[in-house]
Amino acid sequence: MMNEIARKKSAARSCPICGKPVDDTFKPFCSKRCADIDLNRWLSGVYAVPAKDDEDEDGARPADGEAADK
Ligand SMILES: [Zn+2]
C-alpha cells in the first residue's frame, strides 16, 4: 500500500512526473510544475483513499455461461 512512497527513495536522474532531465533547482523534478504535481499526488494519496484503482483482482464473480445443469 505504501509502495509509492518507498519508491521515491531511489530518485533517478529523470523527472518522476514527466521523465525529463532533472533541473538542479527543482530536483528531483524538472520544474516547479512537476514538483507541485507530485506534491498534489502525494497529498491526495494521503487524504483520499484510492477507491478505484485498476479492477484487477476481480475474480470472485461467477462466470455467466456456467449454468449448464438447469
Ligand atoms: Zn517534469
Side-chain angles (χ1 to χ4, degrees):
M1 222 191 238
M2 293 250 183
N3 270 349
E4 297 228 311
I5 292 172
R7 243 176 151 184
K8 272 186 204 164
K9 267 175 99 178
S10 57
R13 272 182 200 174
S14 52
C15 174
I17 304 299
C18 68
K20 282 183 186 172
V22 169
D23 189 303
D24 221 32
T25 313
F26 301 106
K27 67 182 172 183
F29 305 103
C30 71
S31 64
K32 172 102 163 56
R33 203 173 68 109
C34 282
D36 278 348
I37 291 174
D38 185 77
L39 180 65
N40 265 309
R41 270 192 200 173
W42 191 80
L43 286 178
S44 43
V46 168
Y47 293 113
V49 179
K52 54 173 202 171
D53 226 62
D54 283 338
E55 291 178 35
D56 215 8
E57 288 190 53
D58 192 66
R61 223 178 179 186
D64 256 31
E66 233 178 65
D69 201 285
K70 192 163 193 189

